[in-house]
Amino acid sequence: MKNNAPKRKIFDAVDLLIEDTSAQVPVGKRKDGVTMLSVDSIKSFHDHPFYLYEGDRLEDMIQSIRDHGVLNPVIVRTTEDGYEMLSGHNRQNAARLAGLTEIPAIVKTDLPDTDAYVYVIETNLLQRSFTDLLPSEKAAVLVARYEKISCQGRRNDILREIEALEGTGGHDVHRNQKSRDVLGEEYGMTGRNIARYMRIDRLIPEFKEAVDKGTLALVAAVDLSYLNVKMQKMIHQVAEAEGKKLKPKQAGELRKLGKEITKEAVENVLVGRERKKPQSVSVKLPVELYERYFAQMDAGEVQEIMEKALEAYLGKEAAGV
């Protein structure tokens, strides 16, 4: 790289992990275990909870890659049919948009999901503060810390590896991540609020997006999270068709319905639309006419006769009889 080249901005968490490996090293002969992989051979992580860059941030990254190439490797793991991205989704996207066909990568083999998720979560958190994350992203981080990472010892090993590559000791690897209260202390949240955020991870993508956009309140999202995927999709479809936003009270009512929830029930809750009973209409008859035909009948019998008489009369009239 030229000495007078502008300093490259840090765009992705993994930029902090590895010292610059010169872009001048020939393909296939990179140092530090780095391999050149086809951009299209790397699939997105199957449970990637973070949004890709957009707007100016993405454009800046594309221009930086055009000017300098991808200076810092992504991290991938091997799969049966190729590679899966662990850290570097944004660089892969920007590299593709910049016209690159290959990208430097550190390849992890035989990596289980629990360990892979540590790389996904922790490297992303090196880039952004937890408070900067969107609600669904916070939920994914908290769930990963609380549920998905079951082996604390192995997690500590991975964090030490990341810290060694980064050159700092910024992570406290001795915390018990399985306590909501401890997580709350780490992120400045109450244990109860931690639990509420973790519920968001159980929502369908459409509801997660609504929470992130602020069109679905957190308290409403929590209630919806107790319904299964099929029920959530039904509610979302009805809300979209009716052009309605779910209110906390409505979400609470839907949660109470539980297994009894139906499309009609959802419509009733969202729009107040119920099957209305036919309203009665009073028809006046001359007294002598009523006494001649209906004096000895109750109201039900009168209604039945009237219906049959009208059907017979109107049927003949329509037939031109």
Side-chain angles (χ1 to χ4, degrees):
M1 183 185 299
K2 296 180 181 179
N3 292 330
N4 61 351
K7 185 177 180 180
R8 180 176 178 271
K9 298 177 181 179
I10 294 175
F11 290 102
D12 206 293
V14 117
D15 289 350
L16 299 173
L17 301 184
I18 303 170
E19 294 181 359
D20 183 11
T21 52
S22 173
Q24 303 302 316
V25 178
V27 173
K29 296 183 179 180
R30 299 294 299 266
K31 299 179 181 179
D32 301 324
V34 176
T35 305
M36 295 301 294
L37 297 178
S38 166
V39 171
D40 294 328
S41 70
I42 308 172
K43 299 179 297 184
S44 177
F45 188 70
H46 68 280
D47 195 16
H48 190 241
F50 301 104
Y51 289 92
L52 291 177
Y53 297 160
E54 295 179 342
D56 291 342
R57 196 171 193 183
L58 173 59
E59 292 302 321
D60 287 346
M61 191 173 193
I62 293 171
Q63 189 59 51
S64 177
I65 289 176
R66 284 174 177 160
D67 293 341
H68 312 295
V70 179
L71 301 180
N72 296 87
V74 300
I75 300 177
V76 304
R77 70 169 173 173
T78 55
T79 62
E80 293 181 356
D81 56 351
Y83 303 94
E84 187 176 43
M85 186 70 76
L86 301 181
S87 179
H89 291 79
N90 286 297
R91 267 169 299 152
Q92 179 192 32
N93 184 45
R96 183 183 287 114
L97 294 173
L100 272 63
T101 58
E102 291 185 320
I103 191 170
I106 296 175
V107 181
K108 300 289 181 179
T109 58
D110 302 321
L111 197 68
D113 281 354
T114 50
D115 290 355
Y117 214 78
V118 176
Y119 284 99
V120 173
I121 296 296
E122 296 299 334
T123 54
N124 195 281
L125 287 179
L126 287 175
Q127 174 198 8
R128 294 184 290 170
S129 167
F130 180 80
T131 56
D132 294 333
L133 300 178
L134 291 170
S136 69
E137 295 174 325
K138 289 181 179 179
V141 169
L142 294 172
V143 168
R145 292 279 176 92
Y146 185 79
E147 294 179 350
K148 294 188 178 181
I149 304 171
S150 59
C151 181
Q152 185 64 28
R154 176 56 180 156
R155 177 178 180 272
N156 288 346
D157 292 341
I158 294 173
L159 290 182
R160 290 190 185 98
E161 177 189 354
I162 291 174
E163 288 174 3
L165 290 170
E166 179 191 357
T168 67
H171 289 270
D172 180 357
V173 297
H174 301 292
R175 289 184 177 178
N176 176 10
Q177 302 298 337
K178 291 194 174 184
S179 165
R180 287 200 299 260
D181 292 332
V182 172
L183 286 174
E185 291 178 7
E186 181 177 354
Y187 296 115
M189 302 167 67
T190 64
R192 181 181 180 184
N193 212 20
I194 291 282
R196 293 171 69 189
Y197 266 94
M198 287 171 61
R199 296 296 316 180
I200 296 177
D201 204 53
R202 298 173 180 264
L203 294 174
I204 60 174
E206 293 83 357
F207 284 148
K208 286 183 180 178
E209 183 178 359
V211 174
D212 290 337
K213 290 182 176 178
T215 57
L216 180 64
L218 180 61
V219 63
V222 170
D223 278 328
L224 293 174
S225 73
Y226 286 94
L227 302 173
N228 63 37
V229 171
K230 183 178 180 180
M231 293 176 181
Q232 289 186 42
K233 287 184 176 180
M234 180 197 304
I235 294 170
H236 178 262
Q237 289 171 356
V238 173
E240 286 288 298
E242 299 293 342
K244 297 290 184 179
K245 293 181 181 179
L246 280 163
K247 299 177 181 179
K249 182 179 179 180
Q250 294 171 329
E253 292 177 10
L254 292 170
R255 175 185 172 183
K256 290 178 182 177
L257 288 174
K259 295 181 180 179
E260 298 180 2
I261 198 167
T262 62
K263 182 178 180 181
E264 184 178 18
V266 175
E267 291 173 344
N268 291 344
V269 171
L270 297 190
V271 233
R273 182 164 68 217
E274 299 180 0
R275 291 187 177 275
K276 296 181 179 180
K277 296 180 179 180
Q279 295 181 348
S280 299
V281 177
S282 299
V283 177
K284 293 183 179 180
L285 293 175
V287 174
E288 59 273 15
L289 186 62
Y290 180 84
E291 290 180 347
R292 184 188 307 172
Y293 295 107
F294 305 119
Q296 305 302 319
M297 300 180 186
D298 59 30
E301 292 174 314
V302 173
Q303 180 176 337
E304 184 178 355
I305 290 176
M306 292 292 292
E307 287 178 357
K308 290 180 178 179
L310 288 170
E311 287 174 1
Y313 177 77
L314 292 176
K316 289 180 180 181
E317 189 177 63
V321 178

